[in-house]
Amino acid sequence: MGKVNFASKMMLVGIYLMAICGGAIFLFCGGGYGQEKLGVVVSIAPLSEWVRGVGGDKVEITVLLPPGASPHTYEPKPAQLIKVERARIFVKNGAGLEFWADKIVKINKDILVVDISKEVELIETSSKAKGKLHLLKDPHLWLSLKNAKKGVRQICEALSKVDPENAEYYKRNADGYIEKLDALDREIREKLETIKNKKFIALHPAWSYFCRDYDLEQVPIEEAGKEPGPKHLMRVIEIAKKNNIKVVFVEPQFNPKSAQVIAREIGGQVKIIDPLAGNYLENMRTIADELARCLK
Ligand SMILES: [Zn+2]
């Protein structure tokens, strides 16, 4: 028995050492990104589809925010630094969403930062901190197909700047992806136009730009960016009853408890829509379909 244990322990040590050496050789040879691929880091998964749409097979993309995490509270892991060090471009949503990414970007001073929010008309919102209300810009701007178009143009510009040889390729891809954005925008507009009840309840108010685009109104359960108090919950329930709202939308990154309480009170149900899915176009269509089905 003792022998077997010793042998398996030695084997584990061996594997461990091999992994370390392998990693060292990999780093030494400049691994991490393939030789010809251009390293692009994005903060949140939806932006990765925009970069893929423009960069095609010429880019290698790293997403910083892992699935299930909230960008509002995230803390990056040290292991992500290696990818950031080797990347040429960092694409972020901006408007304060990636307060956690600034630190990482500082380690690579040559990285070209694309801040989508710089080219977008921002919506104002308020948040509560230390008992006080603060006005700030609503960061959920990636959830607008119109903003996505502007983002894709910015990404195309950045890729062409870093890799001018393939500028034509990037331009062609960007045009193609923008065509898809336009087509989906028209499709969603038609789908949501006929809806009579424009109000819906959302746990986390991620949909301000989406609502602006399609003339809808979100009623947030969160109270100025925080868990709601009983008074606010009562108000949301009242609005729901008055407007005959039967569905409460939740985002998978947040605790659905208060949403379930409200759903129970109004005799409705809880539905998940995800603002952070990586398959951007498909997910935006799913969100619109879900809203169209539930609002009527
Ligand atoms: Zn959010």
Side-chain angles (χ1 to χ4, degrees):
M1 264 309 261
K3 242 184 187 172
V4 174
N5 267 343
F6 180 72
S8 56
K9 262 184 204 158
M10 283 318 285
M11 209 159 88
L12 274 179
V13 169
I15 290 169
Y16 181 66
L17 284 176
M18 258 156 40
I20 291 178
C21 295
I25 291 165
F26 182 64
L27 286 178
F28 184 70
C29 297
Y33 289 112
Q35 265 191 335
E36 290 129 57
K37 301 238 175 183
L38 201 153
V40 181
V41 171
V42 302
S43 56
I44 53 172
L47 305 182
S48 69
E49 196 187 275
W50 303 1
V51 175
R52 177 66 65 212
V54 183
D57 54 5
K58 303 216 182 294
V59 291
E60 179 159 339
I61 305 166
T62 303
V63 181
L64 291 180
L65 189 79
S70 163
H72 302 296
T73 50
Y74 181 61
E75 275 181 45
K77 308 277 174 293
Q80 296 179 313
L81 298 184
I82 294 176
K83 287 283 188 182
V84 175
E85 265 176 351
R86 288 161 194 283
R88 306 284 305 276
I89 299 173
F90 174 50
V91 181
K92 65 174 194 171
N93 173 80
L97 186 76
E98 299 95 342
F99 63 96
W100 40 269
D102 294 346
K103 254 185 275 169
I104 317 184
V105 174
K106 264 188 204 135
I107 66 155
N108 182 346
K109 292 206 169 59
D110 298 324
I111 206 164
L112 178 60
V113 178
V114 177
D115 182 338
I116 308 291
S117 72
K118 290 267 161 71
E119 304 270 318
V120 165
E121 199 181 312
L122 296 170
I123 296 175
E124 230 158 45
T125 182
S126 60
S127 116
K128 215 179 204 170
K130 291 175 188 144
K132 273 187 186 161
L133 272 188
H134 300 272
L135 269 188
L136 41 89
K137 303 296 181 196
D138 190 317
H140 304 93
L141 54 105
W142 76 91
L143 292 162
S144 153
L145 295 167
K146 289 189 175 58
N147 293 347
K149 273 170 73 171
K150 292 181 178 160
V152 167
R153 288 265 176 254
Q154 282 170 271
I155 289 164
C156 181
E157 227 171 84
L159 283 171
S160 309
K161 198 169 169 185
V162 170
D163 177 24
E165 245 174 61
N166 289 307
E168 272 295 309
Y169 172 80
Y170 298 134
K171 171 82 171 57
R172 208 167 44 238
N173 286 351
D175 288 345
Y177 192 75
I178 283 173
E179 241 168 65
K180 286 187 198 165
L181 289 168
D182 274 335
L184 183 60
D185 184 31
R186 275 193 303 273
E187 185 191 315
I188 293 180
R189 184 170 314 281
E190 274 163 28
K191 220 174 274 177
L192 296 177
E193 228 166 27
T194 49
I195 283 172
K196 283 201 190 76
N197 193 356
K198 305 277 187 190
K199 271 196 184 110
F200 66 93
I201 293 173
L203 174 58
H204 174 70
W207 314 102
S208 359
Y209 294 87
F210 190 90
C211 286
R212 184 182 64 184
D213 286 356
Y214 305 114
D215 193 24
L216 300 171
E217 193 189 324
Q218 65 178 349
V219 180
I221 297 177
E222 268 183 15
E223 198 178 3
K226 295 275 175 305
E227 285 277 311
K231 235 196 214 160
H232 182 75
L233 274 185
M234 286 308 294
R235 203 160 42 226
V236 175
I237 290 167
E238 243 169 62
I239 293 172
K241 283 182 174 164
K242 213 159 114 193
N243 293 278
N244 199 28
I245 296 173
K246 290 289 178 208
V247 177
V248 181
F249 291 100
V250 299
E251 294 80 359
Q253 296 81 18
F254 294 87
N255 184 350
K257 219 173 142 203
S258 49
Q260 286 158 351
V261 169
I262 291 177
R264 213 176 305 131
E265 277 299 312
I266 61 174
Q269 51 176 327
V270 171
K271 283 241 154 102
I272 296 174
I273 45 177
D274 187 0
L276 287 162
N279 51 346
Y280 182 75
L281 284 168
E282 203 185 311
N283 184 49
M284 291 295 274
R285 179 179 285 119
T286 304
I287 290 165
D289 284 346
E290 200 67 272
L291 285 170
R293 223 187 341 263
C294 295
L295 296 181
K296 293 249 163 66

